[in-house]
Amino acid sequence: MPDEPLLDIGEVARRTGLAPSALRFYERKGLIAPEGRNGLRRAYRPEVLERLGLITCARSAGLSVAEIGRFLAARPSDGDLRERMTARAEDLDEQIGRLTRLRDSLRHAAVCTHEPVVDCPDFRRAIGGVAPRTHTGGDRPDAGPRRRSAHA
Amino acid sequence: MPDEPLLDIGEVARRTGLAPSALRFYERKGLIAPEGRNGLRRAYRPEVLERLGLITCARSAGLSVAEIGRFLAARPSDGDLRERMTARAEDLDEQIGRLTRLRDSLRHAAVCTHEPVVDCPDFRRAIGGVAPRTHTGGDRPDAGPRRRSAHA
DNA sequence: CCTTGACTTGAAGCGTGGTTCAAGTTCCAG
DNA sequence: CTGGAACTTGAACCACGCTTCAAGTCAAGG
Protein backbone atom coordinates (compact mmCIF):
# COMPACT_ATOMS: atom_id res chain seq x y z
CA MET A 1 0.00 0.00 0.00
CA PRO A 2 1.56 3.23 -1.14
CA ASP A 3 2.57 5.64 1.55
CA GLU A 4 -0.10 8.34 1.49
CA PRO A 5 -1.57 9.20 -1.86
CA LEU A 6 -4.38 11.16 -0.23
CA LEU A 7 -5.45 14.44 -1.74
CA ASP A 8 -6.61 17.46 0.12
CA ILE A 9 -9.71 19.32 -0.88
CA GLY A 10 -7.85 22.02 -2.71
CA GLU A 11 -6.06 19.46 -4.79
CA VAL A 12 -9.27 17.69 -5.69
CA ALA A 13 -10.82 21.01 -6.55
CA ARG A 14 -7.99 21.90 -8.89
CA ARG A 15 -7.97 18.52 -10.53
CA THR A 16 -11.70 18.37 -11.12
CA GLY A 17 -12.38 22.00 -11.79
CA LEU A 18 -15.01 22.00 -9.06
CA ALA A 19 -15.04 24.50 -6.24
CA PRO A 20 -14.21 23.25 -2.76
CA SER A 21 -17.58 24.50 -1.67
CA ALA A 22 -19.15 22.25 -4.26
CA LEU A 23 -17.20 19.29 -2.93
CA ARG A 24 -18.41 19.94 0.58
CA PHE A 25 -21.89 20.35 -0.79
CA TYR A 26 -21.68 16.97 -2.51
CA GLU A 27 -20.41 15.49 0.70
CA ARG A 28 -23.38 16.82 2.64
CA LYS A 29 -25.58 15.25 0.01
CA GLY A 30 -23.79 11.95 0.35
CA LEU A 31 -22.24 11.80 -3.11
CA ILE A 32 -18.67 11.67 -1.95
CA ALA A 33 -16.74 11.25 1.26
CA PRO A 34 -13.13 11.77 2.22
CA GLU A 35 -11.16 8.69 3.12
CA GLY A 36 -10.35 10.37 6.42
CA ARG A 37 -9.09 13.55 7.94
CA ASN A 38 -5.71 15.03 8.37
CA GLY A 39 -6.46 16.98 11.47
CA LEU A 40 -9.65 18.69 10.43
CA ARG A 41 -8.81 18.57 6.80
CA ARG A 42 -10.47 16.20 4.42
CA ALA A 43 -8.15 13.66 2.86
CA TYR A 44 -9.47 12.12 -0.33
CA ARG A 45 -8.44 8.97 -2.13
CA PRO A 46 -7.61 9.65 -5.76
CA GLU A 47 -10.53 7.49 -6.81
CA VAL A 48 -12.76 10.35 -5.87
CA LEU A 49 -11.64 12.09 -9.03
CA GLU A 50 -13.30 9.49 -11.17
CA ARG A 51 -16.38 9.59 -9.08
CA LEU A 52 -16.54 13.32 -9.45
CA GLY A 53 -16.15 12.98 -13.18
CA LEU A 54 -19.14 10.73 -13.15
CA ILE A 55 -21.09 13.14 -11.01
CA THR A 56 -20.26 16.08 -13.21
CA CYS A 57 -21.33 14.12 -16.20
CA ALA A 58 -24.61 13.09 -14.71
CA ARG A 59 -25.26 16.62 -13.58
CA SER A 60 -24.66 17.84 -17.08
CA ALA A 61 -27.23 15.37 -18.27
CA GLY A 62 -29.74 16.99 -15.96
CA LEU A 63 -29.85 14.43 -13.17
CA SER A 64 -30.45 15.98 -9.79
CA VAL A 65 -27.85 15.65 -7.08
CA ALA A 66 -30.30 13.61 -5.07
CA GLU A 67 -30.83 11.10 -7.82
CA ILE A 68 -27.16 10.84 -8.57
CA GLY A 69 -26.71 10.02 -4.92
CA ARG A 70 -29.16 7.17 -5.21
CA PHE A 71 -27.48 5.85 -8.32
CA LEU A 72 -24.05 6.01 -6.77
CA ALA A 73 -25.23 3.93 -3.88
CA ALA A 74 -26.62 1.30 -6.23
CA ARG A 75 -25.95 -2.35 -5.58
CA PRO A 76 -26.87 -5.20 -7.86
CA SER A 77 -29.62 -6.19 -5.50
CA ASP A 78 -31.50 -2.93 -5.92
CA GLY A 79 -34.16 -3.98 -8.36
CA ASP A 80 -35.96 -0.75 -7.88
CA LEU A 81 -32.97 1.24 -8.65
CA ARG A 82 -32.27 -0.71 -11.75
CA GLU A 83 -35.71 0.09 -12.95
CA ARG A 84 -35.13 3.72 -12.27
CA MET A 85 -31.92 3.55 -14.23
CA THR A 86 -33.64 1.98 -17.17
CA ALA A 87 -36.35 4.58 -16.99
CA ARG A 88 -33.72 7.28 -16.89
CA ALA A 89 -32.03 5.82 -19.90
CA GLU A 90 -35.29 6.06 -21.76
CA ASP A 91 -35.80 9.64 -20.66
CA LEU A 92 -32.35 10.37 -21.93
CA ASP A 93 -33.20 8.78 -25.20
CA GLU A 94 -36.15 11.05 -25.70
CA GLN A 95 -34.12 13.98 -24.56
CA ILE A 96 -31.49 13.13 -27.12
CA GLY A 97 -34.14 13.18 -29.79
CA ARG A 98 -35.42 16.56 -28.72
CA LEU A 99 -31.96 17.98 -28.50
CA THR A 100 -31.11 16.71 -31.92
CA ARG A 101 -34.12 18.34 -33.47
CA LEU A 102 -33.54 21.55 -31.60
CA ARG A 103 -29.94 21.59 -32.69
CA ASP A 104 -30.94 21.18 -36.31
CA SER A 105 -33.53 23.88 -35.98
CA LEU A 106 -31.04 26.25 -34.46
CA ARG A 107 -28.58 25.54 -37.20
CA HIS A 108 -31.21 26.38 -39.72
CA ALA A 109 -32.39 29.45 -37.89
CA ALA A 110 -28.89 30.79 -37.85
CA VAL A 111 -28.94 30.84 -41.61
CA CYS A 112 -32.50 31.51 -42.53
CA THR A 113 -33.95 34.81 -43.66
CA HIS A 114 -37.40 34.94 -42.23
CA GLU A 115 -38.46 38.05 -40.45
CA PRO A 116 -39.09 36.80 -37.02
CA VAL A 117 -36.83 33.81 -37.48
CA VAL A 118 -39.25 31.78 -35.47
CA ASP A 119 -41.79 32.04 -38.25
CA CYS A 120 -39.64 30.32 -40.83
CA PRO A 121 -41.49 27.27 -42.11
CA ASP A 122 -38.30 25.27 -42.42
CA PHE A 123 -37.49 26.06 -38.84
CA ARG A 124 -40.95 25.01 -37.86
CA ARG A 125 -40.63 21.83 -39.77
CA ALA A 126 -37.30 21.00 -38.19
CA ILE A 127 -38.70 21.71 -34.77
CA GLY A 128 -41.85 19.75 -35.50
CA GLY A 129 -42.51 17.27 -32.79
CA VAL A 130 -39.77 18.63 -30.63
CA ALA A 131 -42.24 20.03 -28.22
CA PRO A 132 -43.83 17.48 -25.93
CA ARG A 133 -47.19 18.35 -27.52
CA THR A 134 -49.08 21.28 -28.94
CA HIS A 135 -52.31 19.37 -28.94
CA THR A 136 -54.94 21.68 -30.34
CA GLY A 137 -57.60 19.15 -29.68
CA GLY A 138 -58.26 19.07 -25.97
CA ASP A 139 -57.63 15.82 -24.14
CA ARG A 140 -56.50 16.57 -20.60
CA PRO A 141 -59.15 15.26 -18.27
CA ASP A 142 -58.70 18.00 -15.68
CA ALA A 143 -56.93 18.83 -12.44
CA GLY A 144 -54.00 16.45 -12.46
CA PRO A 145 -50.92 17.53 -10.56
CA ARG A 146 -49.72 20.44 -12.69
CA ARG A 147 -46.67 19.13 -14.50
CA ARG A 148 -43.61 19.69 -12.33
CA SER A 149 -40.13 20.45 -13.55
CA ALA A 150 -40.10 17.65 -16.12
CA HIS A 151 -36.80 16.20 -15.10
CA ALA A 152 -35.41 14.83 -11.82
CA MET B 1 -60.56 38.18 -40.11
CA PRO B 2 -62.46 35.58 -38.14
CA ASP B 3 -64.66 36.94 -35.46
CA GLU B 4 -62.73 36.38 -32.24
CA PRO B 5 -60.54 33.28 -32.12
CA LEU B 6 -58.78 34.58 -29.03
CA LEU B 7 -58.01 32.22 -26.20
CA ASP B 8 -58.10 33.03 -22.58
CA ILE B 9 -55.30 32.06 -20.26
CA GLY B 10 -57.05 29.02 -18.89
CA GLU B 11 -57.60 27.72 -22.38
CA VAL B 12 -53.96 28.21 -23.30
CA ALA B 13 -52.95 26.53 -20.08
CA ARG B 14 -55.09 23.52 -20.81
CA ARG B 15 -53.94 23.27 -24.39
CA THR B 16 -50.24 23.52 -23.60
CA GLY B 17 -50.16 21.74 -20.30
CA LEU B 18 -48.50 24.74 -18.70
CA ALA B 19 -49.82 26.35 -15.56
CA PRO B 20 -51.36 29.80 -15.90
CA SER B 21 -48.77 31.02 -13.44
CA ALA B 22 -46.08 29.82 -15.81
CA LEU B 23 -47.69 31.70 -18.67
CA ARG B 24 -47.71 34.90 -16.67
CA PHE B 25 -44.15 34.22 -15.69
CA TYR B 26 -43.14 33.85 -19.33
CA GLU B 27 -44.96 37.05 -20.08
CA ARG B 28 -43.01 38.91 -17.42
CA LYS B 29 -39.87 37.54 -18.98
CA GLY B 30 -40.98 38.73 -22.39
CA LEU B 31 -41.39 35.34 -24.05
CA ILE B 32 -45.03 35.70 -24.87
CA ALA B 33 -47.67 38.38 -24.84
CA PRO B 34 -51.42 38.32 -25.17
CA GLU B 35 -52.88 39.87 -28.29
CA GLY B 36 -54.87 42.12 -26.02
CA ARG B 37 -57.17 42.08 -23.09
CA ASN B 38 -60.75 41.24 -22.67
CA GLY B 39 -61.38 43.52 -19.76
CA LEU B 40 -58.49 42.58 -17.54
CA ARG B 41 -58.20 39.14 -18.95
CA ARG B 42 -55.47 38.17 -21.30
CA ALA B 43 -56.65 37.23 -24.76
CA TYR B 44 -54.18 35.13 -26.72
CA ARG B 45 -53.97 34.46 -30.41
CA PRO B 46 -53.86 30.73 -31.11
CA GLU B 47 -50.35 31.16 -32.54
CA VAL B 48 -49.14 31.44 -29.00
CA LEU B 49 -49.64 27.71 -28.68
CA GLU B 50 -46.92 27.03 -31.21
CA ARG B 51 -44.67 29.53 -29.58
CA LEU B 52 -45.18 27.87 -26.27
CA GLY B 53 -44.38 24.53 -27.81
CA LEU B 54 -41.14 25.98 -28.97
CA ILE B 55 -40.42 27.45 -25.57
CA THR B 56 -41.16 24.21 -23.78
CA CYS B 57 -38.90 22.43 -26.17
CA ALA B 58 -36.04 24.83 -25.72
CA ARG B 59 -36.46 24.70 -21.96
CA SER B 60 -36.28 20.97 -22.07
CA ALA B 61 -33.02 21.32 -23.92
CA GLY B 62 -31.68 23.33 -21.04
CA LEU B 63 -31.85 26.83 -22.50
CA SER B 64 -32.61 29.45 -19.93
CA VAL B 65 -35.76 31.48 -20.19
CA ALA B 66 -33.64 34.57 -20.76
CA GLU B 67 -31.83 33.08 -23.70
CA ILE B 68 -35.00 31.75 -25.22
CA GLY B 69 -36.31 35.27 -25.01
CA ARG B 70 -33.37 36.53 -27.01
CA PHE B 71 -33.78 33.84 -29.62
CA LEU B 72 -37.48 34.49 -29.97
CA ALA B 73 -36.78 38.11 -30.68
CA ALA B 74 -34.30 37.19 -33.41
CA ARG B 75 -34.40 38.94 -36.75
CA PRO B 76 -32.29 38.07 -39.78
CA SER B 77 -30.21 41.14 -39.20
CA ASP B 78 -28.98 40.00 -35.82
CA GLY B 79 -25.57 38.71 -36.74
CA ASP B 80 -24.66 38.39 -33.12
CA LEU B 81 -27.63 36.36 -32.40
CA ARG B 82 -26.97 34.07 -35.30
CA GLU B 83 -23.57 33.42 -33.91
CA ARG B 84 -25.04 32.63 -30.56
CA MET B 85 -27.45 30.25 -32.21
CA THR B 86 -24.66 28.46 -33.99
CA ALA B 87 -22.69 28.27 -30.78
CA ARG B 88 -25.72 26.88 -29.03
CA ALA B 89 -26.13 24.29 -31.72
CA GLU B 90 -22.59 23.19 -31.09
CA ASP B 91 -23.16 23.03 -27.36
CA LEU B 92 -26.16 20.91 -28.05
CA ASP B 93 -24.10 18.65 -30.19
CA GLU B 94 -21.65 18.01 -27.39
CA GLN B 95 -24.47 17.62 -24.96
CA ILE B 96 -26.04 15.03 -27.22
CA GLY B 97 -22.79 13.09 -27.17
CA ARG B 98 -22.60 13.17 -23.39
CA LEU B 99 -26.20 12.17 -23.03
CA THR B 100 -25.75 9.32 -25.41
CA ARG B 101 -22.83 7.95 -23.49
CA LEU B 102 -24.57 8.42 -20.19
CA ARG B 103 -27.63 6.68 -21.53
CA ASP B 104 -25.59 3.71 -22.64
CA SER B 105 -23.82 3.59 -19.32
CA LEU B 106 -27.06 3.64 -17.45
CA ARG B 107 -28.45 0.89 -19.60
CA HIS B 108 -25.43 -1.19 -18.80
CA ALA B 109 -25.48 -0.34 -15.12
CA ALA B 110 -29.06 -1.48 -14.91
CA VAL B 111 -27.96 -4.93 -15.91
CA CYS B 112 -24.49 -5.30 -14.54
CA THR B 113 -23.52 -7.22 -11.45
CA HIS B 114 -20.71 -5.28 -9.89
CA GLU B 115 -20.92 -4.55 -6.24
CA PRO B 116 -21.02 -0.82 -6.21
CA VAL B 117 -22.35 -0.65 -9.74
CA VAL B 118 -20.23 2.38 -10.32
CA ASP B 119 -17.13 0.25 -10.13
CA CYS B 120 -18.03 -1.93 -13.08
CA PRO B 121 -15.32 -1.65 -15.69
CA ASP B 122 -17.81 -1.84 -18.53
CA PHE B 123 -19.73 0.97 -17.02
CA ARG B 124 -16.55 2.93 -16.70
CA ARG B 125 -15.67 2.28 -20.27
CA ALA B 126 -19.09 3.35 -21.50
CA ILE B 127 -18.88 6.49 -19.46
CA GLY B 128 -15.34 7.17 -20.57
CA GLY B 129 -15.00 10.69 -21.80
CA VAL B 130 -18.49 11.60 -20.76
CA ALA B 131 -17.21 13.85 -18.07
CA PRO B 132 -15.99 17.24 -19.27
CA ARG B 133 -12.53 16.32 -18.03
CA THR B 134 -10.83 14.47 -15.20
CA HIS B 135 -7.46 15.91 -16.07
CA THR B 136 -5.03 14.35 -13.67
CA GLY B 137 -2.23 16.44 -15.02
CA GLY B 138 -2.76 19.95 -13.75
CA ASP B 139 -3.33 22.65 -16.34
CA ARG B 140 -5.55 25.30 -14.83
CA PRO B 141 -3.52 28.47 -14.58
CA ASP B 142 -5.20 29.73 -11.42
CA ALA B 143 -7.99 31.95 -10.21
CA GLY B 144 -10.29 32.00 -13.17
CA PRO B 145 -13.96 32.51 -12.48
CA ARG B 146 -14.88 29.21 -10.87
CA ARG B 147 -16.86 27.36 -13.51
CA ARG B 148 -20.44 28.52 -13.46
CA SER B 149 -23.51 26.49 -14.24
CA ALA B 150 -22.17 25.24 -17.58
CA HIS B 151 -25.28 26.06 -19.56
CA ALA B 152 -27.13 29.30 -20.23
C1' DC C 1 7.46 29.77 18.32
C1' DC C 2 4.96 32.33 15.27
C1' DT C 3 3.06 33.45 11.07
C1' DT C 4 0.56 32.39 7.09
C1' DG C 5 -2.44 30.38 4.25
C1' DA C 6 -5.35 26.72 3.34
C1' DC C 7 -8.55 24.51 5.64
C1' DT C 8 -12.98 23.98 9.02
C1' DT C 9 -17.94 25.03 10.27
C1' DG C 10 -22.75 26.71 9.99
C1' DA C 11 -25.59 30.10 8.27
C1' DA C 12 -26.94 33.22 5.04
C1' DG C 13 -27.27 34.65 0.28
C1' DC C 14 -28.09 34.21 -4.76
C1' DG C 15 -30.14 33.11 -9.45
C1' DT C 16 -33.43 30.39 -11.77
C1' DG C 17 -37.94 28.87 -12.52
C1' DG C 18 -41.76 28.75 -11.08
C1' DT C 19 -46.08 28.16 -7.45
C1' DT C 20 -49.03 29.92 -4.00
C1' DC C 21 -51.55 33.27 -1.67
C1' DA C 22 -54.50 37.21 -0.57
C1' DA C 23 -57.35 40.47 -2.11
C1' DG C 24 -59.78 42.25 -5.55
C1' DT C 25 -62.22 42.32 -10.40
C1' DT C 26 -65.03 40.57 -14.02
C1' DC C 27 -67.79 37.60 -16.89
C1' DC C 28 -71.67 34.83 -17.29
C1' DA C 29 -75.69 32.13 -15.70
C1' DG C 30 -79.70 32.06 -13.55
C1' DC D 1 -79.38 41.43 -9.21
C1' DT D 2 -76.74 37.82 -7.25
C1' DG D 3 -73.57 34.34 -7.02
C1' DG D 4 -69.64 31.73 -8.36
C1' DA D 5 -65.88 30.53 -11.30
C1' DA D 6 -62.16 32.20 -13.50
C1' DC D 7 -59.46 35.82 -13.99
C1' DT D 8 -56.22 39.98 -12.18
C1' DT D 9 -52.17 41.76 -9.37
C1' DG D 10 -47.98 41.86 -6.45
C1' DA D 11 -45.60 39.68 -3.06
C1' DA D 12 -44.17 35.87 -0.68
C1' DC D 13 -42.60 31.44 -0.83
C1' DC D 14 -40.29 27.09 -2.54
C1' DA D 15 -36.55 23.78 -4.19
C1' DC D 16 -32.28 23.36 -6.26
C1' DG D 17 -27.41 23.93 -6.55
C1' DC D 18 -24.24 26.11 -5.17
C1' DT D 19 -21.23 30.43 -3.32
C1' DT D 20 -20.00 33.54 0.14
C1' DC D 21 -19.15 34.98 4.63
C1' DA D 22 -17.63 35.14 9.43
C1' DA D 23 -15.16 33.13 12.71
C1' DG D 24 -12.21 29.86 14.07
C1' DT D 25 -8.49 25.88 13.61
C1' DC D 26 -4.61 23.74 12.14
C1' DA D 27 -0.10 22.15 9.59
C1' DA D 28 3.94 23.45 7.85
C1' DG D 29 7.77 26.49 6.98
C1' DG D 30 11.05 30.03 8.38
Side-chain angles (χ1 to χ4, degrees):
Chain A
M1 171 186 203
D3 212 66
E4 205 178 281
L6 298 184
L7 310 170
D8 110 348
I9 200 174
E11 188 64 10
V12 174
R14 257 185 315 100
R15 311 244 286 233
T16 58
L18 296 164
S21 59
L23 300 178
R24 293 191 203 102
F25 176 74
Y26 289 158
E27 183 176 334
R28 278 210 307 284
K29 297 300 186 173
L31 303 208
I32 59 172
E35 176 67 5
R37 296 281 182 132
N38 182 2
L40 276 191
R41 303 175 180 208
R42 290 164 178 82
Y44 293 98
R45 303 233 312 272
E47 287 82 347
V48 84
L49 297 177
E50 268 181 60
R51 198 177 174 94
L52 284 167
L54 197 50
I55 291 169
T56 300
C57 152
R59 285 284 303 121
S60 92
L63 303 217
S64 73
V65 168
E67 184 154 38
I68 293 170
R70 286 185 299 249
F71 286 170
L72 285 175
R75 319 254 260 79
S77 49
D78 292 340
D80 250 33
L81 206 120
R82 278 157 191 283
E83 276 173 38
R84 258 187 293 150
M85 283 181 166
T86 304
R88 261 284 164 232
E90 268 156 40
D91 291 353
L92 284 177
D93 219 33
E94 284 174 30
Q95 178 74 354
I96 288 165
R98 277 193 298 270
L99 260 53
T100 302
R101 284 188 292 271
L102 186 61
R103 179 200 58 191
D104 295 344
S105 303
L106 271 180
R107 282 213 224 284
H108 173 75
V111 132
C112 134
T113 48
H114 273 73
E115 245 320 306
V117 177
V118 208
D119 287 350
C120 164
D122 290 7
F123 179 77
R124 292 274 174 93
R125 200 153 15 75
I127 278 282
V130 167
R133 194 65 66 95
T134 309
H135 52 108
T136 298
D139 64 17
R140 317 194 85 218
D142 61 70
R146 288 286 187 194
R147 45 179 264 89
R148 298 210 160 272
S149 58
H151 60 235
Chain B
M1 164 186 206
D3 212 63
E4 204 176 283
L6 298 184
L7 311 170
D8 108 349
I9 201 176
E11 188 65 10
V12 173
R14 257 184 316 101
R15 310 243 288 230
T16 59
L18 296 165
S21 60
L23 299 178
R24 294 188 203 106
F25 176 74
Y26 288 158
E27 183 176 334
R28 280 211 306 283
K29 297 300 186 172
L31 303 209
I32 59 171
E35 175 67 5
R37 296 282 183 131
N38 183 1
L40 276 193
R41 300 173 182 209
R42 291 163 178 81
Y44 294 98
R45 303 235 312 273
E47 286 83 345
V48 84
L49 298 177
E50 268 181 60
R51 196 178 176 94
L52 284 167
L54 198 49
I55 291 170
T56 299
C57 152
R59 286 282 306 120
S60 92
L63 304 217
S64 73
V65 167
E67 183 152 39
I68 293 170
R70 286 186 299 249
F71 286 170
L72 285 176
R75 319 255 258 82
S77 48
D78 292 340
D80 250 32
L81 206 121
R82 278 157 190 284
E83 277 172 37
R84 256 187 294 148
M85 282 180 166
T86 305
R88 261 286 163 228
E90 270 156 39
D91 292 352
L92 285 177
D93 220 32
E94 284 173 31
Q95 179 73 354
I96 288 165
R98 277 194 297 272
L99 260 52
T100 302
R101 284 189 293 272
L102 185 62
R103 178 201 58 192
D104 294 344
S105 303
L106 272 180
R107 284 214 222 280
H108 173 75
V111 132
C112 134
T113 48
H114 273 74
E115 245 318 308
V117 178
V118 207
D119 288 348
C120 165
D122 290 5
F123 179 77
R124 291 272 172 94
R125 198 154 17 74
I127 276 282
V130 168
R133 193 65 65 95
T134 310
H135 52 109
T136 299
D139 64 15
R140 318 194 85 220
D142 61 72
R146 289 284 188 194
R147 45 180 264 90
R148 299 211 160 271
S149 58
H151 59 233

